[in-house]
Amino acid sequence: MKSKFKIMVTFLTIVQFISFAMKQIFAILHNIRSCYNVGAIFRTCDAVAIEKIYLTGYTPTPERNPEKIKKTALGAEKTVKWKYEKNVGKIIEKLKKEGIKIVALETEKSALPYFKFKPKFPLAILVGNEIRGIDKRTLKKSDYVLKIPMFGKKESLNVAIAFSIFAYYLRIKSLN
């Protein structure tokens, strides 16, 4: 019994060290309408160890829409820290005061392709509405505006898929 305890303590120490060593990434989900997209993003956030999710505007929350969100989050809504704040500007301002850079993912023509971005941590990924994206006023508050280049006929990816691609990219960069 003693050796099992020692192994568990060692494992926890390693996990704690890895968590401490990883650079911080946050998420801001602004005016996302689909509970399923929110749930999928929660699951990605768990997978890449996102520090915290900020749900803003009319984005559904696990408290208000538990059944629909848990359908795609598969428990991640319980393992990832999150906070709801109606005003996205307040969250952006708070994070910037803490030294966190805001990186918007948007389809703007002038946006930098995400793979050319040299991240400096900590940072927050900002994604917006599935149809309209991020409004111009909020976009101006971002430190960087990035895009995922499209090569087919469609102009964008589903918000949860775009978020996942970029979140994994950042997590891999953070480990180098």
Side-chain angles (χ1 to χ4, degrees):
M1 190 67 165
K2 205 174 189 179
S3 66
K4 282 185 181 178
F5 178 74
K6 189 176 181 181
I7 290 169
M8 182 59 106
V9 170
T10 303
F11 176 74
L12 286 174
T13 306
I14 291 168
V15 169
Q16 289 166 338
F17 173 75
I18 291 169
S19 295
F20 178 75
M22 278 200 285
K23 296 182 175 83
Q24 289 183 315
I25 303 171
F26 298 83
I28 305 169
L29 282 55
H30 184 57
N31 288 338
I32 304 291
R33 21 175 217 134
S34 166
C35 292
Y36 303 115
N37 282 334
V38 172
I41 291 171
F42 262 90
R43 195 161 169 200
T44 296
C45 287
D46 179 83
V48 298
I50 295 290
E51 194 71 26
K52 189 172 192 175
I53 302 173
Y54 293 94
L55 306 168
T56 63
Y58 53 75
T59 301
T61 71
E63 279 179 356
R64 293 186 306 214
N65 305 85
E67 293 307 310
K68 288 182 178 179
I69 288 176
K70 78 178 186 182
K71 202 170 221 172
T72 51
L74 297 176
E77 75 281 9
K78 295 174 186 159
T79 61
V80 179
K81 291 185 269 183
W82 64 273
K83 177 183 178 177
Y84 175 77
E85 166 62 56
K86 185 160 182 63
N87 188 325
V88 69
K90 283 183 182 178
I91 292 299
I92 290 172
E93 187 178 316
K94 172 195 173 304
L95 293 174
K96 283 187 163 199
K97 282 181 183 173
E98 294 172 13
I100 298 165
K101 298 290 183 193
I102 308 301
V103 183
L105 198 54
E106 190 49 91
T107 58
E108 295 273 308
K109 287 186 185 206
S110 62
L112 180 72
Y114 79 96
F115 52 83
K116 291 185 176 182
F117 178 61
K118 306 277 190 259
K120 291 194 177 24
F121 299 90
L123 56 78
I125 305 168
L126 169 63
V127 292
N129 181 271
E130 292 92 334
I131 304 298
R132 293 184 306 279
I134 302 165
D135 63 90
K136 299 289 182 204
R137 191 175 77 236
T138 303
L139 210 51
K140 285 180 184 173
K141 295 176 183 176
S142 300
D143 296 297
Y144 304 96
V145 180
L146 307 179
K147 65 182 173 187
I148 297 174
M150 303 301 295
F151 302 102
K153 291 185 176 22
K154 293 295 175 185
E155 295 178 5
S156 66
L157 293 168
N158 168 280
V159 67
I161 291 173
F163 179 90
S164 297
I165 290 168
F166 188 53
Y168 267 91
Y169 172 80
L170 289 175
R171 180 50 70 211
I172 296 302
K173 288 290 188 186
S174 79
L175 299 173
N176 292 339

